[in-house]
């Protein structure tokens, strides 16, 4: 636009320069033929051109462009009608079309060609049929040879200069476009270089976070594993309470870790949302078991009111749905000292689209409108004092809202200070009718709840000695025959000798990692299930395991209930 504006200013200057001799000539002719209306038009256009050029920085580009093209159109029509200069009129019309192409765009140029063609054809037809004639008064015009040569020379001079000016302007215009194109290319290259650097930095950050996740989850597996094993023992009530508190604290630490990882993945646009069928009741049971200890300590009640049919499956991402709903229920538990927390689950149709709606209503401390406004900001809590009192990263609700949006839904809140809060969480989800589903998430409370896998052989590949002891202790109540090896190479060597019914394979191990070992086993026609159990459980990682011969994945820290359920489905 800046280049076009510069071109319009140049054209205005050209019009003023070449109109000045013509205007001067018209003033001299007033003494012979008097003031004619055409002279008034000429003077008016000249003065407008002068004003536009003088205030060129304030006049809009389109106004200047329309004025210039209109002047050339009037000049062409006037030349043909007044003097019968048919050839000159055609030339001016061509110039008018060229100006439209330069000042506007191709569509405008095509319209100009059509208008010019209609005008020229109409005037030509009028001349041919005799409806339009012209008479040259010999007294007005000098008809001597010298006068005609002077007029011819003047015309050639003007035409030559006009050609030179327009050629120069066109050359400058093209040069400006070339320069602009070079600048665009340079900026594009610079942008691509910055983009590559940003992607590399993001990749390094993601790799760092993945490594940190693995390094934190590995010792946490030892902590949580031991706590779960202790709880299976016949402890007294006080010991059980202490163990439950330790488990609760460890799970809180894991939630903080997950918040940071999720925030980083969302910022890097690397968070994938699944769309699979899932069962609702086990998710609700799991959420209840996660906050059960806290609600008992506070002596508050938590009620799940599932208003949907229990024999339905739902479509969506069960992991992310569970994560958001758990966050809302955990927050409600955290900020409610007395009273009740009700979770209403319902299905709604809005504009023909099915939504699964979860409403979490508590009788907690509530929030003011100012606190609600900053509730979903990163690293922020409604009240800064809450960070000291209740803890947390301030990322939970910000991540929850973004996850709800990624799942095609929303997360909203209504609240009043001192009167509790209501969070409404929705996702796009289609109900699918299924036979009556039995809840599978039963809590393990004693050795009697362990499955009986007598005579089943389980091979465990794990390089960490503590994790070996924990996984073996978890599986011993099942009476399965257990063998532990320290890396993938030992697992491959022992598999056909030990003949396991299932292999539990860690991923990061010395000498040979779990994925390579899985590939080796499949290449040697080993057809028993291989289950990855690892701290690297990002979606891309799990897909990689499944693509390379593994059948399932158990995340670390290992949940004993999940361990039993996963193995059971293969036995």
């Amino acid at each position: 636009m800046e280049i076009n504006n510069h071109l319009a200013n140049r054209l205005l200057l050209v019009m003023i320069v070449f109109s000045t001799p013509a205007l001067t000539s018209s003033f001299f002719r007033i003494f012979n033929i008097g003031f004619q209306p055409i002279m008034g038009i000429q003077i008016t256009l000249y003065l407008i051109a002068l004003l536009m050029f003088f205030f060129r920085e304030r006049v809009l580009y389109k106004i200047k462009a329309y004025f210039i093209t209109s002047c050339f159109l009037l000049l062409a029509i006037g030349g043909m009608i007044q003097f019968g200069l048919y050839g000159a009129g055609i030339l001016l019309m061509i110039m008018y079309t060229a100006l439209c192409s330069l000042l506007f765009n191709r569509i405008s140029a095509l319209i100009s060609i059509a208008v010019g063609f209609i005008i020229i054809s109409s005037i030509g037809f009028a001349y041919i049929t005799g409806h339009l004639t012209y008479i040259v008064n010999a007294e007005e015009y000098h008809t001597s040879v010298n006068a005609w040569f002077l007029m011819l020379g003047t015309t050639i001079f003007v035409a030559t200069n006009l050609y030179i000016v327009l050629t120069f302007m066109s050359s400058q215009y093209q040069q400006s476009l070339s320069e602009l194109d070079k600048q665009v290319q340079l900026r594009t290259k610079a942008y691509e270089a910055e983009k590559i650097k940003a992607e590399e930095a993001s990749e390094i950050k993601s790799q760092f976070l993945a490594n940190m996740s693995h390094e934190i989850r590995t010792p946490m597996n030892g902590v949580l594993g031991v706590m779960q094993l202790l709880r299976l023992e016949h402890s007294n009530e006080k010991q059980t309470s202490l163990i439950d508190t330790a488990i609760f604290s460890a799970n809180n630490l894991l939630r903080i870790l997950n918040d940071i990882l999720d925030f980083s993945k969302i910022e890097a646009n690397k968070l994938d949302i699944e769309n699979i069928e899932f069962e609702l009741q086990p998710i609700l049971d799991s959420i209840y078991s996660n906050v059960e200890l806290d609600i008992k300590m506070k002596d508050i009640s938590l009620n799940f009111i599932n208003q949907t049919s229990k024999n339905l499956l739902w479509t969506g991402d069960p992991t992310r749905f569970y994560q958001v709903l758990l966050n809302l229920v955990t927050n409600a538990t955290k900020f409610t000292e007395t009273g009740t927390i009700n979770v209403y689950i319902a299905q709604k149709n809005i504009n023909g689209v099915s939504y699964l709606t979860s409403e979490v209503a508590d009788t907690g401390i509530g929030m003011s409108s100012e606190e609600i406004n900053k509730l979903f900001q990163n690293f922020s809590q409604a009240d800064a004092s809450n960070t000291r009192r209740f803890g947390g990263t301030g990322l939970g609700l910000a991540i929850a809202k973004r996850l709800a949006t990624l799942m095609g839904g929303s997360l909203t809140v209504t609240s009043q200070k001192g009167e509790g809060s209501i969070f409404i969480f929705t996702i796009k989800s289609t109900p699918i009718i299924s036979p009556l589903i039995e809840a599978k998430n039963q809590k393990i409370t004693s050795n009697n709840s362990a499955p009986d896998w007598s005579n089943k052989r389980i091979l465990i590949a794990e390089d960490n000695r503590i994790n070996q002891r924990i996984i073996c202790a978890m599986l011993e109540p099942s009476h399965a025959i257990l063998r532990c090896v320290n890396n993938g190479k030992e697992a491959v060597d022992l598999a056909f000798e030990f003949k396991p019914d299932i292999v539990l394979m860690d991923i990061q191990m010395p000498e040979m990692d779990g994925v390579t070992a899985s590939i080796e086993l499949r290449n040697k026609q080993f057809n028993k299930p291989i289950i990855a159990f690892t701290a690297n459980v990002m979606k891309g990682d799990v897909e990689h395991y499944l693509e390379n011969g593994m059948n399932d994945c158990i995340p670390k820290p290992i949940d004993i209930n999940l361990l039993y359920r996963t193995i059971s489905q293969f036995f």
Side-chain angles (χ1 to χ4, degrees):
M1 184 58 73
E2 185 177 346
I3 295 174
N4 284 349
N5 194 44
H6 185 65
L7 177 63
N9 293 335
R10 288 290 185 91
L11 284 172
L12 277 174
L13 181 61
V14 169
M15 284 181 60
I16 293 168
V17 170
F18 286 106
S19 298
T20 302
L23 187 65
T24 305
S25 174
S26 294
F27 281 132
F28 282 118
R29 291 180 63 201
I30 291 175
F31 298 105
N32 296 326
I33 61 174
F35 186 81
Q36 301 295 322
I38 190 68
M39 295 177 182
I41 296 174
Q42 186 182 14
I43 294 169
T44 303
L45 292 177
Y46 185 81
L47 291 175
I48 292 173
L50 271 177
L51 287 170
M52 279 193 176
F53 184 76
F54 186 75
F55 296 105
R56 57 187 177 275
E57 299 301 329
R58 299 182 183 180
V59 180
L60 294 175
Y61 161 73
K62 285 193 173 182
I63 295 175
K64 289 184 279 191
Y66 284 129
F67 175 74
I68 293 167
T69 52
S70 300
C71 285
F72 269 86
L73 180 61
L74 289 172
L75 187 60
I77 296 171
M80 284 185 286
I81 295 176
Q82 186 70 22
F83 304 111
L85 301 176
Y86 196 66
I90 293 173
L91 177 62
L92 288 169
M93 192 61 70
I94 292 170
M95 289 173 60
Y96 165 69
T97 303
L99 280 175
C100 284
S101 300
L102 286 172
L103 293 172
F104 297 104
N105 49 44
R106 292 180 180 178
I107 297 175
S108 300
L110 290 172
I111 295 171
S112 304
I113 292 170
V115 171
F117 177 77
I118 293 169
I119 293 172
I120 293 172
S121 301
S122 301
I123 295 174
F125 181 77
Y127 276 128
I128 293 169
T129 57
H131 290 87
L132 185 62
T133 58
Y134 66 94
I135 299 172
V136 177
N137 189 342
E139 294 180 357
E140 286 187 29
Y141 299 97
H142 298 287
T143 55
S144 65
V145 174
N146 291 334
W148 281 110
F149 270 113
L150 181 61
M151 290 176 64
L152 180 62
T154 304
T155 304
I156 292 172
F157 173 76
V158 171
T160 303
N161 277 276
L162 191 59
Y163 172 77
I164 291 170
V165 169
L166 286 175
T167 303
F168 174 73
M169 291 174 63
S170 177
S171 174
Q172 275 201 327
Y173 185 69
Q174 291 299 326
Q175 187 178 354
S176 299
L177 286 178
S178 299
E179 193 64 31
L180 182 63
D181 185 56
K182 288 180 183 177
Q183 290 182 11
V184 169
Q185 288 180 2
L186 288 173
R187 290 185 181 181
T188 302
K189 287 181 180 178
Y191 169 75
E192 288 175 350
E194 290 297 322
K195 182 182 177 185
I196 290 170
K197 287 182 181 179
E199 288 175 347
E200 288 176 351
S202 176
E203 190 64 33
I204 291 170
K205 184 175 75 171
S206 297
Q207 189 61 44
F208 170 77
L209 288 169
N211 290 336
M212 286 298 296
S213 171
H214 180 272
E215 294 304 318
I216 294 173
R217 285 174 182 274
T218 298
M220 284 300 296
N221 182 61
V223 173
L224 275 171
V226 169
M227 292 299 140
Q228 291 178 86
L229 291 171
L230 286 174
R231 202 180 193 289
L232 293 178
E233 301 297 327
H234 296 287
S235 308
N236 58 44
E237 187 176 343
K238 183 179 179 181
Q239 290 172 333
T240 300
S241 176
L242 291 172
I243 292 169
D244 284 343
T245 302
I247 292 174
F248 179 77
S249 299
N251 282 326
N252 277 341
L253 179 59
L254 279 179
R255 273 197 288 272
I256 292 172
L257 173 65
N258 291 334
D259 279 352
I260 295 170
L261 289 173
D262 283 339
F263 174 73
S264 300
K265 284 186 281 183
I266 290 172
E267 289 295 303
N269 293 319
K270 289 187 175 182
L271 190 69
D272 297 316
I273 298 296
E274 290 185 311
N275 188 26
I276 60 175
E277 295 177 4
F278 67 91
E279 187 182 349
L280 184 58
Q281 193 57 46
I283 291 176
L284 303 182
D285 293 341
S286 180
I287 291 173
Y288 185 88
S289 66
N290 266 275
V291 298
E292 183 179 9
L293 175 64
D294 210 18
I295 61 175
K296 284 181 178 178
M297 290 173 63
K298 288 189 170 186
D299 196 25
I300 58 177
S301 61
L302 171 62
N303 305 307
F304 285 90
I305 300 97
N306 187 357
Q307 298 170 342
T308 66
S309 176
K310 291 187 178 180
N311 63 337
L312 290 177
L313 293 175
W314 299 88
T315 59
D317 190 326
T319 303
R320 298 304 175 186
F321 174 78
Y322 168 81
Q323 180 181 347
V324 175
L325 190 55
L326 175 62
N327 182 279
L328 297 179
V329 174
T330 302
N331 276 351
T333 305
K334 184 191 297 185
F335 296 110
T336 302
E337 298 298 333
T338 58
T340 304
I341 301 169
N342 289 325
V343 182
Y344 301 92
I345 309 293
Q347 188 256 342
K348 294 182 180 179
N349 285 299
I350 303 173
N351 298 326
V353 180
S354 174
Y355 290 89
L356 182 60
T357 302
S358 308
E359 182 178 311
V360 181
D362 64 59
T363 56
I365 61 176
M367 293 172 287
S368 65
S369 56
E370 291 80 9
E371 291 170 340
I372 291 174
N373 289 336
K374 59 181 180 181
L375 188 62
F376 297 108
Q377 296 176 8
N378 296 333
F379 304 103
S380 174
Q381 288 192 345
D383 184 349
S385 62
N386 288 340
T387 305
R388 296 186 297 271
R389 183 181 174 190
F390 298 104
T393 61
L395 280 174
L397 286 175
I399 292 172
K401 188 174 182 65
R402 294 170 83 168
L403 287 175
T405 303
L406 288 172
M407 288 187 282
S410 62
L411 176 60
T412 59
V413 58
T414 57
S415 181
Q416 288 188 0
K417 197 73 173 177
E419 296 184 14
S421 305
I422 300 175
F423 285 84
I424 300 177
F425 162 49
T426 64
I427 65 167
K428 277 186 181 178
S429 184
T430 304
I432 299 171
I433 298 176
S434 174
L436 188 62
I437 304 167
E438 294 181 1
K440 307 181 191 71
N441 272 10
Q442 298 300 321
K443 187 167 184 174
I444 303 299
T445 55
S446 68
N447 288 351
N448 296 331
S449 300
D452 184 9
W453 293 332
S454 300
N455 301 321
K456 295 290 183 182
R457 294 172 175 264
I458 301 176
L459 177 61
I460 303 161
E462 168 63 71
D463 63 311
N464 187 291
R465 297 290 183 183
I466 295 175
N467 286 342
Q468 284 184 8
R469 291 175 62 186
I470 290 171
I471 192 72
C472 287
M474 286 180 171
L475 292 173
E476 278 175 1
S478 69
H479 307 295
I481 303 170
L482 309 175
R483 287 288 294 273
C484 285
V485 293
N486 300 308
N487 56 62
K489 185 177 183 303
E490 292 181 10
V492 174
D493 294 339
L494 188 63
F496 293 95
E497 177 187 335
F498 181 59
K499 296 181 180 179
D501 295 288
I502 200 165
V503 177
L504 299 181
M505 186 80 73
D506 187 26
I507 297 300
Q508 291 190 9
M509 294 183 290
E511 293 193 48
M512 183 182 289
D513 62 82
V515 174
T516 305
S518 176
I519 295 171
E520 286 280 328
L521 287 171
R522 295 309 184 201
N523 288 339
K524 292 181 178 182
Q525 308 304 314
F526 182 81
N527 58 4
K528 297 296 182 179
I530 303 175
I531 300 176
F533 69 110
T534 174
N536 295 337
V537 288
M538 292 186 180
K539 185 173 182 290
D541 295 327
V542 176
E543 289 175 350
H544 179 61
Y545 308 150
L546 299 180
E547 288 169 359
N548 287 281
M550 295 186 174
N551 301 88
D552 210 330
C553 178
I554 298 172
K556 291 179 182 176
I558 296 172
D559 181 282
I560 193 168
N561 302 288
L562 179 62
L563 176 68
Y564 287 163
R565 287 200 308 271
T566 305
I567 295 177
S568 293
Q569 67 184 353
F570 293 103
F571 285 164

